């Protein structure tokens, strides 16, 4: 008998002083086409920087004449591209957009040469956002990599880092601002955190995940074996079930929620053309999603819920922004059970984790319990770490999140305005919860996977007030339809944060003053540590 023995693809041989460059794109072709010009300019600048060091850059695939862009836009395409890359070659992943990490993870997981991730540090297209997501994915799967970023790829710091990588295969960043959580001195806050940890480990909790992973964030998927050890379990749900439940919500129920918002002072920027403008019908569907999500959460006894936000339902119904922000708000429209007998979670926020990021799920659940136990307002949300610049001698970050911001973060619903989500990403529209986050003291964090275990970085910051002119400039430079927070981190420079942070998301919650914020951080650290999570402190943290 004759057998046809398969053979793996023979990879090309690497050449000296030659790096291969790839880029991962979006699953939405409209976004890939819109962002290609910025990506092409970024690649040209990176290639020029390599050339100045006497290196060549090879792009193993070209621009698709049909789509008009040169992104890796699917997991299969990524596997095919890696067949033309020497396994031991220096490899650069250049990012000037939001990218779906799973497009390239297969090739990166088995690549043996040094890997460099780099991005533009710019407001218009979120290269640094995609970079942080990709870095977190590489960290999760234990793949060594170096990373660096730049505004225009000509500054001395970037050039020095690139020279280090071409010489040694690594870039060393300053991590002196990070330390493992020391033994906490005994205090009521430490005792509270430990008691809350003991409770969740004994009684357990459930997070509901609608279509896990469809946003392409490998780093946002937490294995059950790791998550269950903290007392948290998953209920895996289908977005089709959410849509089906939305169809059962009456117009009267959605109208009541709308009237509640209008009564609280929220306004909406309506237009006539639903393809590019916000309409009342779009908002109606968002309110039905809000009600449906709470009723499904009630069905399964959930403690938190995560909607996939952009993917999955984007072609079917308006974006989930309004629903998410309402869920994360203590002050929100009342929702009754289907039989009308009960008001669901009356007087409480119901933690929602945007983009079904399970690091956010754990974080939001812990934050909610700690803040409520301390008698504080628990409303919390993730933000995209979007961009930043110096203002009057201090670096002020632009944090933006199109979904899940609570009205209280804006100072109340009277300061919230619904703008239509961009049609490039959201063909069915839907209102954001637009506004400017109020100044105040905040606790920030990220739960992530590194070294095969769950870890959490905790740090402090302040939301500051900038001039109306500067706020407008920053919003227009990024996404003017999204809510913005002007964030100053305590004891962390821009580059220290970028090198350390293991996600494109940072969790944000307010405290009434600095002393209370410090105490709440201690309670949160104690709870996380009591759940078996390795806790790290970043920057200036008073414990």
């Amino acid at each position: 008998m004759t057998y046809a023995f398969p053979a793996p693809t023979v990879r090309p041989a690497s050449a000296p002083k030659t790096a291969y460059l790839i880029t991962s794109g979006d699953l939405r072709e409209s976004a890939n086409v819109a962002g290609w010009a910025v990506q092409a300019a970024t690649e040209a600048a990176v290639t020029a920087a390599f050339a100045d060091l006497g290196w060549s850059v090879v792009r193993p695939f070209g621009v698709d004449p049909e789509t008009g862009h040169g992104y890796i836009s699917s997991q299969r395409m990524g596997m095919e591209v890696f067949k033309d890359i020497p396994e031991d070659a220096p490899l650069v992943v250049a990012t000037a957009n939001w990218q779906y990490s799973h497009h390239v993870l297969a090739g990166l997981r088995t690549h043996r040469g040094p890997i460099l991730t780099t991005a533009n540090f710019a407001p218009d297209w979120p290269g640094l956002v995609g970079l942080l997501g990709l870095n977190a994915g590489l960290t999760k799967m234990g793949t060594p990599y170096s990373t660096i970023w730049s505004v225009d790829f000509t500054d001395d710091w970037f050039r020095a880092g690139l020279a280090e990588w071409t010489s040694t295969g690594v870039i060393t960043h300053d991590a002196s601002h990070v330390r493992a959580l020391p033994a906490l001195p005994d205090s009521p806050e430490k005792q509270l955190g430990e008691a809350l940890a003991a409770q969740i480990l004994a009684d357990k909790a459930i997070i509901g995940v609608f279509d896990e992973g469809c946003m392409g964030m490998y780093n946002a998927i937490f294995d059950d074996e790791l998550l269950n050890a903290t007392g948290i379990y998953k209920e895996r749900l289908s977005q089709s079930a959410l849509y089906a439940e939305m169809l059962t919500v009456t117009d009267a129920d959605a109208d009541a929620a709308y009237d509640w918002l209008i009564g609280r002072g929220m306004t909406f920027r309506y237009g006539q053309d639903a393809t590019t403008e916000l309409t009342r019908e779009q908002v109606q569907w968002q309110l039905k999603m809000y009600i449906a999500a709470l009723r499904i959460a009630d069905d399964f006894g959930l403690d938190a819920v995560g909607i996939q936000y952009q993917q999955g339902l984007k072609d079917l119904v308006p974006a989930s922004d309004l629903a998410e922000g309402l869920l994360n708000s203590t002050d929100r429209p009342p929702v009754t059970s289907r039989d009308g007998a009960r008001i669901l979670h009356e007087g409480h926020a119901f933690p929602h984790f945007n983009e079904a990021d399970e690091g956010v799920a754990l974080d939001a659940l812990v934050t909610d319990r700690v803040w409520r136990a301390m008698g504080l307002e628990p409303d919390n949300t993730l933000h995209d770490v979007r961009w930043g610049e110096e203002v009057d001698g201090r670096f002020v970050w632009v944090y933006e999140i199109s979904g899940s911001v609570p009205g209280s973060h804006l100072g109340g619903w009277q300061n919230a305005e619904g703008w239509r989500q961009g049609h490039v990403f959201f063909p069915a529209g839907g209102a954001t919860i637009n506004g400017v986050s109020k100044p105040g003291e905040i606790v920030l964090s990220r739960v992530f996977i590194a070294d095969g275990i769950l870890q959490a970085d905790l740090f402090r910051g302040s939301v500051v007030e900038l001039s109306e002119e500067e706020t407008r400039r920053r919003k227009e430079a990024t996404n003017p339809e999204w809510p913005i927070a002007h964030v100053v981190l305590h004891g962390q420079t821009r580059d220290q944060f970028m090198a350390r942070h293991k996600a494109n998301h940072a969790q944000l919650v307010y405290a009434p003053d600095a002393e209370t914020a410090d105490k709440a951080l201690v309670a949160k650290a104690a709870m996380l540590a009591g759940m078996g999570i390795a806790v790290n402190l970043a920057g200036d943290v008073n414990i």
Side-chain angles (χ1 to χ4, degrees):
M1 183 175 290
T2 302
Y3 297 99
F5 288 95
T9 300
V10 177
R11 302 282 186 91
S14 58
K17 290 193 173 183
T18 300
Y20 282 70
L21 185 148
I22 63 170
T23 184
S24 181
D26 209 300
L27 275 175
R28 296 156 295 192
E29 286 295 79
S30 58
N32 286 331
V33 172
W36 177 243
V38 178
Q39 174 66 32
T42 294
E43 292 186 20
V46 170
T47 299
F50 270 99
D52 288 345
L53 294 171
W55 276 57
S56 300
V57 173
V58 175
R59 199 178 200 279
F61 65 105
V63 174
D64 187 325
E66 293 187 10
T67 64
H69 69 77
Y71 289 112
I72 295 174
S73 55
S74 72
Q75 187 168 205
R76 171 56 61 189
M77 181 182 176
M79 292 177 179
E80 294 300 318
V81 165
F82 268 89
K83 291 180 180 180
D84 295 323
I85 300 174
E87 290 182 324
D88 59 348
L91 180 66
V92 180
V93 188
T95 302
N97 62 302
W98 173 247
Q99 54 80 39
Y100 279 59
S101 299
H102 74 287
H103 292 167
V104 292
L105 288 183
L108 293 173
R109 191 185 289 273
T110 57
H111 191 73
R112 299 201 310 268
I115 296 171
L116 175 67
T117 64
T118 188
N120 61 329
F121 199 92
D124 48 358
W125 282 89
L128 70 96
V129 185
L131 177 80
L132 290 171
L134 177 61
N135 288 352
L138 290 167
T139 299
K140 174 186 172 182
M141 68 185 188
T143 297
Y145 67 96
S146 296
T147 186
I148 199 164
W149 44 91
S150 180
V151 172
D152 61 8
F153 304 99
T154 64
D155 58 280
D156 292 341
W157 181 81
F158 171 79
R159 293 298 179 111
L162 194 61
E164 181 184 3
W165 187 75
T166 56
S167 299
T168 67
V170 297
I171 297 176
T172 303
H173 291 289
D174 177 15
S176 60
H177 66 298
V178 181
R179 63 195 185 280
L181 180 71
L184 292 170
D186 193 39
S187 67
E189 293 75 33
K190 175 177 180 285
Q191 295 169 14
L192 174 62
E194 291 172 344
L196 289 168
Q199 179 191 43
I200 199 170
L201 287 171
D203 297 345
K204 302 179 176 56
I206 305 172
I207 60 170
V209 186
F210 283 106
D211 287 352
E212 184 176 54
C214 85
M215 272 298 293
M217 293 185 298
Y218 168 75
N219 68 291
I221 302 170
F222 283 19
D223 298 335
D224 291 61
E225 288 73 18
L226 294 176
L227 196 61
N228 295 168
T230 70
I232 298 175
Y233 291 74
K234 297 181 196 177
E235 194 73 55
R236 290 177 170 86
L237 304 167
S238 168
Q239 289 180 101
S240 64
L242 179 61
Y243 178 62
E245 185 67 30
M246 289 168 62
L247 297 177
T248 72
V249 177
T250 65
D251 281 333
D253 282 346
D255 288 341
Y258 183 79
D259 292 342
W260 186 98
L261 279 172
I262 297 301
R264 285 294 196 275
M266 185 173 180
T267 57
F268 295 87
R269 284 196 174 190
Y270 289 128
Q272 300 298 319
D273 183 1
T275 60
T276 58
E277 297 177 311
L278 183 67
T279 65
R280 175 68 179 85
E281 182 182 12
Q282 293 170 20
V283 173
Q284 188 82 337
W285 278 108
Q286 290 180 294
L287 294 169
K288 290 185 176 184
M289 183 182 290
Y290 161 65
I291 295 166
L294 273 174
R295 288 176 177 168
I296 289 176
D298 186 51
D299 290 341
F300 289 93
L302 304 181
D303 297 278
V305 68
I307 302 170
Q308 278 291 351
Y309 175 63
Q310 295 192 13
Q311 282 297 352
L313 291 180
K314 69 173 173 54
D315 300 311
L316 191 62
V317 296
S320 54
D321 302 63
L322 185 57
E324 297 181 21
L326 289 171
L327 289 167
N328 279 335
S329 298
T330 300
D331 187 34
R332 58 180 177 78
V335 174
T336 60
S337 55
R338 290 188 192 85
D339 59 8
R342 294 174 294 121
I343 296 178
L344 302 178
H345 301 277
E346 186 174 9
H348 296 300
F350 188 80
H352 176 278
F353 46 107
N354 178 266
E355 296 178 341
D357 182 339
E358 291 163 14
V360 172
L362 191 158
D363 203 330
L365 186 58
V366 167
T367 302
D368 181 78
R369 294 192 177 192
V370 170
W371 261 245
R372 283 171 58 180
M374 293 181 68
L376 305 174
E377 185 175 69
D379 301 5
N380 68 102
T381 181
L382 67 86
H383 271 276
D384 268 353
V385 180
R386 186 58 192 264
W387 175 60
E389 281 184 335
E390 281 201 5
V391 179
D392 297 330
R394 60 182 177 177
F395 193 87
V396 182
W397 287 93
V398 170
Y399 278 17
E400 286 191 332
I401 188 61
S402 48
S404 80
V405 68
S408 59
H409 285 201
L410 309 179
W413 291 108
Q414 73 278 5
N415 298 323
E417 188 174 39
W419 289 30
R420 191 199 192 278
Q421 273 283 21
H423 65 276
V424 169
F425 297 96
F426 296 93
T432 61
I433 303 175
N434 198 355
V436 181
S437 292
K438 63 184 180 183
E441 294 299 306
I442 55 174
V443 175
L444 300 118
S445 49
R446 175 63 192 178
V447 181
F448 59 98
I449 299 173
D451 302 321
I453 62 172
L454 289 181
Q455 303 198 35
D457 282 0
L458 300 185
F459 46 108
R460 285 272 283 111
S462 304
V463 177
V464 299
E465 186 174 5
L466 299 181
S467 69
E468 183 176 341
E469 180 183 10
E470 176 64 9
T471 297
R472 186 184 308 111
R473 184 186 75 85
R474 286 173 169 241
K475 284 177 69 68
E476 290 176 353
T478 48
N479 283 85
E481 70 273 19
W482 291 0
I484 190 172
H486 304 306
V487 174
V488 174
L489 301 180
H490 297 177
Q492 293 188 69
T493 67
R494 181 197 81 166
D495 295 331
Q496 283 177 323
F497 176 86
M498 286 291 296
R500 170 66 188 182
H501 200 65
K502 304 305 180 190
N504 54 298
H505 295 153
Q507 200 71 10
L508 186 156
V509 62
Y510 280 88
D513 51 60
E515 181 182 2
T516 306
D518 291 341
K519 289 181 177 181
L521 185 147
V522 169
K524 182 173 180 176
M527 182 175 180
L528 290 166
M531 295 165 67
I533 297 167
V535 178
N536 311 292
L537 304 178
D540 295 338
V541 178
N542 179 20
I543 59 170

